[in-house]
Amino acid sequence: MPDVTRKILWSVLATGTALASLSATPARADDPAVAAPPAAPAAPVAESTTPPPADLLARGEYIATAGDCVACHTAPGGKPFAGGLRITTPMGDVVSTNITPDPDHGIGKYTEEDFEKAVRHGIRRDGSRLYPAMPYVSYSGMTDDDVKAMYAWFMHGVKPVAVTPPVTELNFPANLRITMAVWNMVAGSVEPETGDSATYDKMRRGRYLANALAHCGTCHTPRNMMLSEKEDSYLAGAPLLGWYAPNITSSKTSGIGNWSEDDLVTYLRTGHVAGLSQAAGPMGEAVEHSTSRLTDDDLHALAAYILQVPAKEDEAEHGPRERFGQAIDTPDIRSGELTRIDKLDEMTGPHIYDANCAACHGDNGAGTSDHYAPSLFHNSVVGSAHPDDLIMTVLNGVDRTAGGLHAFMPGFDHGSDVQRLSNTEIAALVNYVTATFGSGDHGVTADQVEKMRKQLPKTP
Amino acid sequence: MPSEQDLSADVVIVGSGVAGSSIANELARAGISVIVLEAGPRVDRQHFVDNFRNLENKPSYQGPFPCVPWAEHPPNQITPNKYLHTTGPDAEAYQQVYLRMMGGTTWHWAGCAWRYLPSDFELKTRYGQGRDWALKYDDLEPFYYQAEVMMGVCGPDPAVEDLGSPRRQPYPMEALPISYAAEQFRNLIREKTPYRVVHEPQARNTRPYDNRPTCEGHNNCMPICPIGAMYNGSYSVYHAEAAGAKFVPNAVVYRIERDSANKRVTAVHYYDPDKGSHRVTGKYFVIAAHCIETAKLMLFSADEQSPDGIANSSGHVGRNMMDHTGVQVTFISGDKALWPGRGPLETNVIDNFRDGDWRNERGAYLVHMVDDNQVDLATALAISKGYVGRELEEQIRYLASHTVRLFSHNEGLADPDNRLTLSATYKDALGIPHPEVYYKLPEYTVKSCDHTRGLFKDLIGLMHGTDEQWTPGYFPQDHPAGSTIMGTDPKDSVVDGFCRTHDHENLFIASSSVFSSVGTGNITLTVAALALRVADTLKKELAHA
């Protein structure tokens, strides 16, 4: 990249933080392009007198599912694809748009060409640029046929919803959509795949699913200074809205090199593999809305492709994160003393665990026999050298429906009805849990917990 | 401590249990300003779970909740009691327990969420006994459903098990799975008796609900659900606070001030733990302080204008104390093992005696097959039989798996002589008298209990039971009701059908204290439904104000 471009980019992105947060969070963020303003010039309205054939619609729906559009374009409790999901960033709230076929509130006036430009190039119908929260760089790899199918489905298979979500209002400079044009100069895009994606061989299909549709790298690949995914660190792990999208390269110590293809398929289908890991947060949503709905063949293709991604080591990880710990006999902490009901002193790690976690995860950390409550040892979230996901799980809980099971753990943040834990208590608890069942005490502090607490989604 | 000017709201509520907190939540969500005064402190679950684990006597409901001196509650169910002083021929049968703290007594209930039967509201009309309510089942039906949604109640499909209280909507959640012990009990009743066992509706999650987890069957709903799968009032406190309601803990209301005409309440006064006094003004006032504490407060607030206590022109404040005073037996089944103690405590009941023509002479009842862990009882029994060593272990295993515990809720009846008064002898740290209750079990209830004993004896015979242990006398159920009774006539009742006091137009009572009859089902859902109806009334009146 010419130096001059770099300078221009940095001068526009004066603070840097805006895009850093935006681009680091696209799995939960969105396309902030609002519906075309009323003053927009009249354009040919996408209309079709005969509905597209059923197989085209079915394919479009499947592609949209694999691309997980619904995750960002649906507000909590809202109608599918009607937008309104609000993501807080240091530069303001990004609000996802209505992509139902409503002509005034959604994308009903988009032609197939308009749609293609938005999905693959990040340019909306009125010509302005989308924020890269929308993973159009990934989607640029989609085949023409799949874009066409997806367009057909959005126009004919999705119910129009006449609601316009609030407008995204970012602070300078991220509020200047021209910034995005500059960003696109450096981030670029990939060449679309060609041919019929349904007929690809297993590995090509897996790569297509992973990159052009499921956009795994958007979260799991760290970003460079230009906020683009680092090509040499593909899927090597990156922070994400307080969570940590872990290293899922084939490294046996830092990645998922010890997982079998069946393990990974089970994980993507159900969000949980006993003795390995479970999905919560953004990955829980990705499993719920997207990967749990893919065909077995596609899951195997995706898993096979992911499992051959070149190993990238993480110096922080000293051993396979899913292999730490064992069932333990905890020391008896009973004092026989009762405290008065108004004594709400902060508790120590073992007592917090005993009073809040042991009922489900067991005194010995083994979880329930049916694995509904997972074991805490042999658990990659607990064993990871990055305690972020454990902290976020304690704060946020787990709420994931996949594979016919609604997995649920209450959160323990300030909005919890079950128990509200302080920053100091969560730090003590997490340090106790990782020291007892994982890879050691990582010295989590109350300040760290407070920072992560601020990342929690706001109550609508 | 908040300054005086902050202590004013559209609606001032005394008590933060299921009644007070759910009213606060409804009103706050409608944009109405609310202050809730709670005598006890703020509390949280983890400290109770910690206390429970440190507790020697695990089944002690009050055990994990050592009270604060400015808001005492009964330490246990033992007579004589250090707080609730009961007298009369059946003093021990009225030894109720309850909790004074944020969220109220539902911290340690079993989650049984019965609707009353339509007949329960018309006992006098239909059976010539007791009193009618000043409302009908149909008046309460929408609020029953609202309460079920608020609390998260699971229950059976009426097409499969009709519990006798007509429903417009299905239960918010599917009924609990039937435990192994309950299955054995159901089979026995189905095969060998003309009776039936039905699902008990439960304010307990059978799926993730309201950001709380599914019940895992820890079997200690009383004294504390360790995971929050069971409803308690603290959730409504949190929801109300999120909606803008203001809760003041450690605020012991001791006086209800009225205008010069004695028609409207103008303020309530409370003590903080140091006995500093504070005045809280409002447009409407709701006393939602539990049956016993509500009557106590109204009597203690007596002054020159109302020498017999507030809202007490009828003289019925503190009278008509009722409960589901029942019968309890445990025995060892001679049939195959039941393995009780898996799942929630109370989930299956015989409901054949909840209603019938015989209610013109004896009270109704329902029978709980209690599904609690019986290792304590089995161990005591095995030791008393002289077993030692390996045989002792085997006996404990055998007895714990074969123990059956049955108890009943028998219908009380409003009798003005069963009366709560202020203790002349005992006072708390703030100088407020302890409550005292005279109790003589009504003949109507005695007959009901006799009938229950007969049924229990039959069941023991059918199960080839041995080692019967009957709880001596009668068994208090902690379902006190009636102390500010509802009625149409201001001369013999305290509140009208909307729970508004006859004497003071802006004073409402939300508590089981308004019940005119006590039926057989656990009282909490009806308390919640009445409270939500009070909230509905207040919303309408404040909208017109």
Side-chain angles (χ1 to χ4, degrees):
Chain A
M1 179 197 316
D3 277 344
V4 62
T5 314
R6 189 179 300 237
K7 279 178 189 156
I8 291 168
L9 180 65
W10 279 109
S11 64
V12 174
L13 300 180
T15 69
T17 55
L19 277 178
S21 67
L22 278 177
S23 57
T25 61
R28 291 184 50 85
D30 64 307
D31 157 16
V34 291
V45 175
E47 271 178 13
S48 161
T49 43
T50 51
D55 57 345
L56 184 68
L57 291 179
R59 181 172 184 152
E61 178 175 16
Y62 188 81
I63 296 295
T65 300
D68 204 7
C69 312
V70 75
C72 296
H73 286 281
T74 306
K79 298 233 167 71
F81 304 108
L85 182 72
R86 186 178 286 274
I87 303 293
T88 301
T89 81
M91 295 299 281
D93 285 354
V94 177
V95 186
S96 65
T97 51
N98 182 336
I99 55 167
T100 71
D102 185 278
D104 300 318
H105 305 270
I107 58 169
K109 288 179 180 155
Y110 274 54
T111 62
E112 190 176 318
E113 292 80 74
D114 294 337
F115 183 80
E116 189 273 338
K117 266 192 199 163
V119 169
R120 286 207 294 213
H121 306 287
I123 299 168
R124 65 181 196 185
R125 187 165 159 266
D126 66 4
S128 63
R129 298 276 173 176
L130 299 181
Y131 294 109
M134 162 83 172
Y136 55 83
V137 176
S138 301
Y139 294 156
S140 65
M142 284 173 63
T143 65
D144 292 346
D145 284 353
D146 285 344
V147 173
K148 189 183 183 72
M150 201 159 75
Y151 174 74
W153 184 69
F154 268 105
M155 291 301 148
H156 300 276
V158 172
K159 230 178 154 178
V161 180
V163 170
T164 298
V167 178
T168 292
E169 287 175 0
L170 297 184
N171 305 325
F172 181 83
N175 58 339
L176 303 178
R177 286 180 185 271
I178 185 66
T179 307
M180 301 311 129
V182 182
W183 187 82
N184 281 331
M185 287 171 63
V186 294
S189 60
V190 298
E191 281 299 306
E193 280 278 6
T194 54
D196 180 0
S197 69
T199 62
Y200 292 168
D201 64 30
K202 184 176 180 182
M203 205 52 76
R204 188 179 175 197
R205 177 75 180 168
R207 188 183 65 196
Y208 182 67
L209 283 162
N211 295 340
L213 298 180
H215 54 287
C216 310
T218 304
C219 303
H220 287 277
T221 303
R223 306 263 162 176
N224 61 18
M225 282 181 67
M226 293 296 101
L227 312 167
S228 301
E229 294 174 25
K230 281 183 182 171
E231 280 175 28
D232 63 344
S233 298
Y234 180 58
L235 304 186
L240 170 74
L241 270 179
W243 298 81
Y244 189 83
N247 181 328
I248 52 169
T249 69
S250 57
S251 163
K252 287 186 184 299
T253 49
S254 309
I256 55 172
N258 301 306
W259 293 41
S260 69
E261 186 177 306
D262 284 343
D263 289 337
L264 188 48
V265 167
T266 303
Y267 181 88
L268 294 169
R269 185 188 294 128
T270 66
H272 182 205
V273 189
L276 283 179
S277 194
Q278 58 287 308
M283 190 63 203
E285 291 173 21
V287 170
E288 178 169 328
H289 298 300
S290 179
T291 61
S292 67
R293 296 158 191 242
L294 300 185
T295 64
D296 274 9
D297 282 353
D298 272 355
L299 287 177
H300 278 279
L302 181 56
Y305 172 77
I306 296 288
L307 289 175
Q308 59 77 55
V309 167
K312 185 82 185 175
E313 305 304 326
D314 180 342
E315 285 172 11
E317 304 279 12
H318 299 298
R321 53 184 186 262
E322 71 279 12
R323 294 201 177 164
F324 288 100
Q326 58 188 339
I328 56 145
D329 282 328
T330 46
D332 186 0
I333 56 172
R334 307 280 168 258
S335 64
E337 300 288 316
L338 302 185
T339 56
R340 210 168 75 174
I341 51 175
D342 59 335
K343 290 285 276 182
L344 301 181
D345 303 351
E346 285 179 333
M347 291 183 167
T348 61
H351 279 274
I352 299 165
Y353 180 83
D354 188 58
N356 295 290
C357 315
C360 304
H361 293 288
D363 211 20
N364 61 2
T368 53
S369 55
D370 64 357
H371 307 294
Y372 180 83
S375 70
L376 297 178
F377 51 86
H378 295 181
N379 186 323
S380 63
V381 173
V382 179
S384 172
H386 303 278
D388 314 43
D389 289 346
L390 183 58
I391 298 168
M392 287 300 275
T393 303
V394 171
L395 283 169
N396 210 31
V398 178
D399 190 351
R400 177 192 76 233
T401 302
L405 187 71
H406 188 168
F408 186 90
M409 165 184 147
F412 292 84
D413 74 321
H414 291 329
S416 176
D417 285 351
V418 174
Q419 175 65 46
R420 299 172 177 197
L421 294 176
S422 71
N423 294 333
T424 308
E425 284 176 324
I426 290 177
L429 173 64
V430 166
N431 290 335
Y432 171 77
V433 166
T434 57
T436 310
F437 304 112
S439 53
D441 180 338
H442 301 301
V444 172
T445 64
D447 285 350
Q448 246 174 296
V449 177
E450 173 61 22
K451 285 201 185 90
M452 295 174 82
R453 211 190 272 279
K454 289 194 177 128
Q455 304 267 11
L456 293 179
K458 282 182 187 162
T459 328
Chain B
M1 201 45 64
S3 67
E4 287 275 323
Q5 72 206 42
D6 291 332
L7 294 179
S8 183
D10 290 336
V11 180
V12 180
I13 299 170
V14 181
S16 71
V18 55
S21 60
S22 58
I23 294 172
N25 186 32
E26 283 299 311
L27 297 181
R29 273 161 212 283
I32 294 165
S33 67
V34 186
I35 290 176
V36 182
L37 303 170
E38 167 55 51
R42 282 192 182 277
V43 295
D44 69 8
R45 184 180 314 273
Q46 64 174 350
H47 287 82
F48 296 148
V49 175
D50 203 44
N51 271 357
F52 171 67
R53 300 219 205 276
N54 279 313
L55 191 67
E56 196 181 335
N57 179 13
K58 297 293 187 207
S60 166
Y61 299 166
Q62 298 286 95
F65 311 100
C67 66
V68 292
W70 57 89
E72 287 184 72
H73 50 230
N76 49 44
Q77 277 187 298
I78 295 166
T79 313
N81 196 270
K82 286 184 178 157
Y83 181 69
L84 176 60
H85 308 279
T86 58
T87 64
D90 296 302
E92 294 190 19
Y94 211 80
Q95 205 63 67
Q96 317 286 356
V97 293
Y98 56 97
L99 299 171
R100 291 175 75 193
M101 55 196 207
M102 203 70 96
T105 306
T106 45
W107 275 102
H108 75 19
W109 68 320
C112 304
W114 289 96
R115 293 179 174 204
Y116 276 8
L117 300 170
S119 57
D120 293 338
F121 298 92
E122 304 168 44
L123 198 62
K124 183 75 179 175
T125 301
R126 294 204 194 189
Y127 303 113
Q129 291 282 355
R131 294 188 181 217
D132 287 348
W133 294 48
L135 58 81
K136 303 269 192 223
Y137 177 85
D138 287 347
D139 296 325
L140 214 47
E141 203 281 340
F143 300 100
Y144 267 136
Y145 184 65
Q146 194 186 344
E148 287 166 343
V149 171
M150 175 189 82
M151 293 159 82
V153 176
C154 68
D157 176 353
V160 180
E161 280 180 6
D162 182 352
L163 301 179
S165 303
R167 308 181 57 81
R168 293 203 187 100
Q169 292 94 350
Y171 278 103
M173 280 181 275
E174 278 182 26
L176 277 160
I178 297 169
S179 73
Y180 182 77
E183 187 68 52
Q184 306 309 305
F185 189 66
R186 279 179 173 244
N187 290 343
L188 173 96
I189 298 297
R190 185 171 52 237
E191 288 162 16
K192 298 191 177 171
T193 78
Y195 313 131
R196 69 170 193 172
V197 176
V198 294
H199 277 280
E200 178 136 36
Q202 297 262 299
R204 180 185 314 292
N205 289 357
T206 54
R207 61 176 166 83
Y209 187 91
D210 204 15
N211 282 317
R212 294 181 287 109
T214 308
C215 174
E216 295 175 324
H218 289 278
N219 202 237
N220 49 265
C221 326
M222 293 183 289
I224 181 72
C225 173
I227 64 169
M230 183 175 73
Y231 172 84
N232 85 47
S234 69
Y235 313 145
S236 296
V237 172
Y238 289 141
H239 296 180
E241 283 188 316
K246 181 182 173 68
F247 284 72
V248 185
N250 307 313
V252 185
V253 175
Y254 68 93
R255 184 181 160 208
I256 301 169
E257 179 190 309
R258 286 93 61 221
D259 62 9
S260 56
N262 203 12
K263 280 291 160 204
R264 293 183 67 83
V265 173
T266 46
V268 292
H269 297 247
Y270 75 84
Y271 288 135
D272 59 41
D274 301 321
K275 215 175 173 177
S277 185
H278 308 261
R279 181 170 180 264
V280 187
T281 57
K283 295 176 187 154
Y284 286 88
F285 295 81
V286 182
I287 313 296
H290 182 270
C291 176
I292 286 172
E293 295 298 322
T294 292
K296 193 188 98 177
L297 167 62
M298 293 172 75
L299 293 175
F300 187 64
S301 297
D303 53 22
E304 281 178 14
Q305 281 178 303
S306 297
D308 297 325
I310 305 309
N312 198 18
S313 61
S314 66
H316 274 265
V317 171
R319 294 185 183 271
N320 307 301
M321 302 298 286
M322 294 178 273
D323 184 22
H324 292 135
T325 315
V327 177
Q328 173 170 256
V329 67
T330 56
F331 60 94
I332 306 302
S333 168
D335 298 340
K336 66 177 184 175
L338 287 96
W339 290 109
R342 301 164 73 191
L345 292 172
E346 295 173 11
T347 61
N348 283 265
V349 303
I350 299 174
D351 75 339
N352 297 78
F353 302 99
R354 287 188 75 199
D355 197 20
D357 290 342
W358 36 261
R359 268 176 110 179
N360 59 10
E361 56 180 31
R362 64 178 158 86
Y365 65 93
L366 68 74
V367 174
H368 286 274
M369 196 285 295
V370 191
D371 209 343
D372 54 354
N373 184 301
Q374 295 294 347
V375 173
D376 264 15
L377 178 136
T379 307
L381 186 56
I383 290 171
S384 75
K385 290 182 173 195
Y387 289 103
V388 291
R390 191 194 179 96
E391 277 191 322
L392 175 63
E393 208 176 305
E394 284 168 2
Q395 276 297 311
I396 292 171
R397 185 177 167 82
Y398 178 85
L399 295 170
S401 63
H402 286 73
T403 302
V404 180
R405 177 154 88 102
L406 302 174
F407 72 67
S408 57
H409 290 175
N410 297 71
E411 183 180 16
L413 209 57
D415 176 351
D417 290 341
N418 284 332
R419 183 177 185 191
L420 181 147
T421 51
L422 303 174
S423 173
T425 318
Y426 303 101
K427 289 185 166 60
D428 67 18
L430 297 172
I432 298 173
H434 287 184
E436 198 169 287
V437 177
Y438 170 91
Y439 193 55
K440 178 177 183 299
L441 203 59
E443 203 48 36
Y444 188 70
T445 312
V446 170
K447 283 184 196 162
S448 175
C449 289
D450 288 346
H451 195 274
T452 308
R453 283 198 192 89
L455 174 72
F456 285 6
K457 281 175 188 158
D458 289 348
L459 295 178
I460 294 166
L462 286 173
M463 298 173 88
H464 310 99
T466 57
D467 302 281
E468 291 169 39
Q469 295 185 39
W470 295 82
T471 298
Y474 300 96
F475 189 55
Q477 288 292 355
D478 311 314
H479 301 160
S483 64
T484 63
I485 201 160
M486 176 190 291
T488 49
D489 186 350
K491 291 195 193 66
D492 70 357
S493 61
V494 180
V495 302
D496 68 12
F498 289 91
C499 301
R500 188 197 309 262
T501 58
H502 293 302
D503 294 356
H504 310 288
E505 59 197 27
N506 65 340
L507 178 65
F508 289 76
I509 296 175
S511 162
S512 56
S513 63
V514 305
F515 287 17
S516 308
S517 71
V518 75
T520 47
N522 303 54
I523 60 178
T524 304
L525 188 76
T526 302
V527 170
L530 288 168
L532 291 169
R533 193 159 178 259
V534 168
D536 187 60
T537 304
L538 290 175
K539 274 192 270 187
K540 285 175 185 157
E541 295 201 7
L542 280 158
H544 290 294

